[in-house]
Amino acid sequence: MGARVASVELGLNQRASAVVEQLAWWMAGQEKAVRDVGCWPLVRDVAEGAPGLTVPPSVPEQWRQAIYNSIMALAVNRIWSMSKRTVLPIHPFLVDELEDSTSGELPGPIFDRLPRPNPLVLFPQALPVTTPDGHRGELLGFFVYGRRAETQGQFCSTDDPGRDALGIMAATSLVDERGNEKDMDLTRLTVPIGRERFTIEDATENTLKAFGAEPAMVLMSGAMHWVSTLTRAALHALLYLCSDEPDIATRPAPQRRTTSRSKDKASKPPQIYNTGWELGPALREARRNSNDVGPATFRTVWAAESAAEPKLIFHHADQQLDDHLASTAAELAELRQALQEARRTAETLRARAIDLETQITVQQDTIASLRASRVRLVGSTLRYRAEAAAIGSPQHLESLQEQLRRRDEDLADARGTVEDLTTQLQQARQELDQRPARYEWSPQNELDRDVATGASTEDDQDLAFSSWPQLCKAAADLPHLWCSPELAELAAQLPVRRDWLATTWRALRALSAYAATKEATRAAGRPLTPVRNFPAYLQADINEPKISAAQLATRESETVLNNPRLRSLRERPVPTDIDAAGVALHLAHIRISQTAPYPRLHFLDATDKVGLICVGYLGPHLLTP
């Protein structure tokens, strides 16, 4: 059995070598014809990527098309010769499997994985074909090379970074009724390959379009079927060569010395790497021993990460399993489509909810304003009634006298203040007159002095930040704010956007101003109702930094609070004088933006306990059910 297999392999190797010699002999004849009309330099130009081949006028009109085709064929042969003359003969059993193979979507850059540049792929057992003009033929194989669109589709190597298409030159031996060779047909095809996913059908259709657009191409009846046959045979072979772990010999096959018909004695021998010599017989044996083996298939395994390269696997599979996988893939595609639609619906509902929240907030503001106006009107009415009843009474007269006495005291205090300020102004002028000339006052000098001494103006409150850590550092210096030690690290997860930085800084200033106003109100003994909490502060008539009440949410849903995992995400660090455990729930939060990842600022109002606002979280929206 082993001797018979070795004999078969030797015969196939000899056949591959004979085909290479056959092509070399034919190319030598074409070279002579081209040299005879003085066009050999054009072969080198085309092989090196020169655009716009034009046959010289010195060539007779009836020969020009033939000379053009010969120049192009010799250029392809030259590219192959300059690339170590690599030959990849595919075992006939593997060719049978490839001919009936199937495939789905394929990665665009798949042909970048060719094991060797510009190979000559052979079918040691030639494939019977019929040419468009009805001649019998045997498809011997095909040359592979590259083409570039930016140079009008001219030739290049398959490993050229600028390649955006594959060139295929199929070699078909035309035979008579007895099987004797009478001529050679070399058909050049262009397979446009982009970077997007494609199918064999896509590539075949694009090849047909490119074939019809070739210069001086005349399409005869049956040409499209001919091109489609050659394209599919070549693409299936190339897909196997570019699949994961193809069965390609690592060393060239030994070659027996033969008498070559080529006159080129100085050319190097081809490097023949047997392809499918082990896999082809194994697949044939597997099909012979099992009735459940389906057709061979190319299966693309797409990576989870978009940056990772997908794998292309060639194998036999159980037909039922393939059908089940195809059905599962279709169901998965439907589920993905449904998920996308659900996401779009959710975005629409979220936008509608935000709009409704805004409307509710406006209505609440209007109701609160009307209630405040009603309270003021009732108070004014009661006051006016009391004043009307008290006018002319001894108590009213005494009250007016008391008011006059207080105003006299206020006027005396104001006069004293004016006198003090006048004295200070005179002293300041004297000091200014005594300064050297180089210290003369100017607005710019005064501004420089304020900057050097750390003085700030009202405008300094609207700082421009270039990063989240910079903002968090500035927030730690705001009065009545306590920032979590991990705040800067959490905020660094967010994209750096100036509008988000500005919105966050306004929110932090509003929280600081609220706490400071509340402390000042408490110290002055005034009612705390307008500043009893942050929402009341935002609604109160107080001229301090604020944000829109629509940005504020004071609590989380019951679903979140009753879920231990979601609840734990909102437990953030606090000083131990607020909670002995050092952590507490931060349910109140401010919406920084409604654009993904929907940044939020979670805080804890501890102004009634220690006079602080604890900022425990600044980052992407925390998980919800």
Side-chain angles (χ1 to χ4, degrees):
M1 181 68 177
R4 187 176 66 181
V5 171
S7 175
V8 172
E9 292 182 356
L10 179 60
L12 293 174
N13 278 329
Q14 292 175 352
R15 174 59 180 160
S17 299
V19 171
V20 174
E21 291 183 7
Q22 181 180 359
L23 290 172
W25 177 81
W26 192 88
M27 290 290 180
Q30 300 300 303
E31 180 178 344
K32 182 179 182 307
V34 170
R35 288 184 182 274
D36 287 346
V37 295
C39 292
W40 177 251
L42 294 177
V43 174
R44 294 195 302 270
D45 294 342
V46 173
E48 293 172 2
L53 170 62
T54 302
V55 179
S58 58
V59 178
E61 181 67 27
Q62 65 271 23
W63 292 357
R64 285 190 179 182
Q65 184 61 46
I67 292 298
Y68 177 89
N69 292 333
S70 297
I71 292 173
M72 301 297 277
L74 289 169
V76 174
N77 185 69
R78 182 178 178 85
I79 293 175
W80 172 71
S81 299
M82 299 296 291
S83 301
K84 299 185 178 180
R85 303 167 63 86
T86 300
V87 180
L88 301 175
I90 303 180
H91 196 282
F93 292 169
L94 180 56
V95 173
D96 292 342
E97 297 292 339
L98 292 174
E99 187 176 3
D100 298 329
S101 63
T102 62
S103 63
E105 279 195 334
L106 300 165
I110 184 65
F111 294 117
D112 294 347
R113 307 179 189 177
L114 272 174
R116 297 181 183 275
N118 310 309
L120 169 58
V121 182
L122 292 184
F123 302 128
Q125 184 173 311
L127 305 181
V129 293
T130 302
T131 64
D133 52 3
H135 289 99
R136 290 177 53 199
E138 295 179 346
L139 180 58
L140 306 177
F142 54 92
F143 293 86
V144 186
Y145 55 100
R147 302 199 73 170
R148 289 193 293 259
E150 65 270 17
T151 56
Q152 302 178 1
Q154 298 308 304
F155 295 174
C156 65
S157 175
T158 56
D159 57 2
D160 190 318
R163 174 188 62 76
D164 53 13
L166 278 183
I168 295 173
M169 187 169 73
T172 304
S173 175
L174 304 181
V175 297
D176 56 20
E177 291 77 4
R178 297 180 180 180
N180 298 321
E181 182 182 65
K182 60 179 182 179
D183 200 356
M184 179 75 68
D185 177 84
L186 295 179
T187 300
R188 297 185 313 281
L189 305 174
T190 299
V191 184
I193 301 295
R195 312 309 290 180
E196 303 297 329
R197 299 182 183 183
F198 71 99
T199 64
I200 291 294
E201 288 70 22
D202 296 335
T204 303
E205 182 179 352
N206 292 335
T207 302
L208 291 173
K209 294 178 181 177
F211 183 75
E214 283 288 334
M217 180 58 62
V218 178
L219 298 180
M220 62 181 67
S221 176
M224 292 297 98
H225 177 71
W226 165 251
V227 172
S228 178
T229 300
L230 297 181
T231 302
R232 289 181 178 276
L235 287 177
H236 283 147
L238 288 174
L239 282 180
Y240 177 73
L241 295 176
C242 297
S243 63
D244 279 37
E245 301 181 1
D247 177 19
I248 302 176
T250 57
R251 295 183 179 181
Q255 302 179 48
R256 189 181 65 177
R257 293 183 177 275
T258 59
T259 302
S260 173
R261 293 187 289 180
S262 172
K263 296 182 180 180
D264 187 5
K265 303 297 183 180
S267 62
K268 296 181 181 179
Q271 302 293 308
I272 301 178
Y273 296 88
N274 292 334
T275 302
W277 250 237
E278 295 182 4
L279 180 61
L283 292 177
R284 173 64 62 88
E285 187 67 20
R287 186 176 296 281
R288 181 182 302 160
N289 295 333
S290 175
N291 295 326
D292 295 331
V293 176
T297 183
F298 289 97
R299 187 175 303 282
T300 304
V301 181
W302 302 99
E305 298 125 3
S306 58
E309 289 191 4
K311 292 184 178 181
L312 182 64
I313 301 174
F314 176 76
H315 69 106
H316 271 156
D318 182 88
Q319 190 63 44
Q320 294 181 354
L321 178 59
D322 272 353
D323 294 343
H324 179 68
L325 288 175
S327 174
T328 303
E331 292 178 1
L332 181 59
E334 292 179 359
L335 290 174
R336 285 176 176 169
Q337 181 66 25
L339 179 59
Q340 291 178 355
E341 293 178 358
R343 286 176 176 171
R344 286 194 291 268
T345 303
E347 290 294 334
T348 302
L349 293 176
R350 185 179 290 112
R352 179 58 179 163
I354 294 173
D355 183 53
L356 291 175
E357 288 180 0
T358 304
Q359 295 180 17
I360 291 173
T361 301
V362 172
Q363 293 175 358
Q364 289 176 343
D365 292 344
T366 303
I367 293 173
S369 176
L370 292 174
R371 287 177 177 174
S373 298
R374 179 177 177 275
V375 171
R376 287 196 298 271
L377 289 174
V378 172
S380 299
T381 301
L382 296 176
R383 185 173 65 255
Y384 293 153
R385 286 178 179 176
E387 291 178 354
I391 290 176
S393 65
Q395 292 84 358
H396 180 246
L397 180 59
E398 183 178 352
S399 174
L400 292 176
Q401 291 175 344
E402 179 64 21
Q403 292 179 18
L404 180 60
R405 184 182 61 79
R406 289 180 180 177
R407 289 179 180 178
D408 290 341
E409 293 176 354
D410 293 341
L411 179 59
D413 292 340
R415 287 175 177 172
T417 301
V418 169
E419 292 176 355
D420 292 340
L421 291 175
T422 302
T423 302
Q424 294 176 11
L425 178 59
Q426 292 175 352
Q427 292 175 354
R429 286 177 175 173
Q430 292 176 0
E431 292 177 359
L432 184 60
D433 293 338
Q434 295 173 1
R435 285 185 179 183
R438 68 175 181 272
Y439 293 115
E440 182 176 357
W441 183 90
S442 70
Q444 182 60 42
N445 291 341
E446 189 67 18
L447 178 61
D448 293 342
R449 183 183 65 81
D450 289 344
V451 171
T453 58
S456 64
T457 65
E458 191 66 26
D459 294 338
D460 289 337
Q461 299 300 327
D462 294 327
L463 301 177
F465 298 99
S466 59
S467 68
W468 289 105
Q470 183 185 12
L471 180 143
C472 293
K473 182 178 180 181
D477 296 332
L478 289 174
H480 301 285
L481 282 192
W482 183 90
C483 296
S484 169
E486 59 187 13
L487 195 64
E489 181 180 353
L490 293 170
Q493 304 176 58
L494 296 172
V496 178
R497 289 182 44 171
R498 293 189 179 277
D499 55 339
W500 291 6
L501 290 166
T503 301
T504 305
W505 180 243
R506 286 195 295 270
L508 291 168
R509 285 184 55 209
L511 290 171
S512 175
Y514 154 66
T517 304
K518 188 171 186 176
E519 181 177 331
T521 302
R522 182 183 289 111
R526 295 193 298 270
L528 294 176
T529 301
V531 290
R532 62 186 181 278
N533 51 38
F534 192 49
Y537 166 79
L538 296 179
Q539 302 293 341
D541 187 13
I542 300 176
N543 187 20
E544 292 292 342
K546 292 182 180 181
I547 60 173
S548 170
Q551 292 181 252
L552 176 66
T554 58
R555 58 180 289 104
E556 296 281 10
S557 66
E558 293 298 326
T559 306
V560 171
L561 296 177
N562 294 331
N563 186 311
R565 182 174 67 89
L566 300 181
R567 181 186 177 93
S568 64
L569 294 177
R570 290 151 177 84
E571 292 180 347
R572 294 291 166 179
V574 296
T576 53
D577 52 353
I578 295 177
D579 191 292
V583 294
L585 275 174
H586 289 59
L587 302 181
H589 55 275
I590 297 173
R591 303 178 183 93
I592 303 302
S593 174
Q594 291 301 111
T595 304
Y598 311 106
R600 296 292 187 265
L601 185 151
H602 283 250
F603 66 92
L604 174 66
D605 185 353
T607 53
D608 290 333
K609 190 171 185 179
V610 295
L612 291 178
I613 297 289
C614 298
V615 181
Y617 178 81
L618 174 57
H621 196 302
L622 293 174
L623 292 179
T624 55

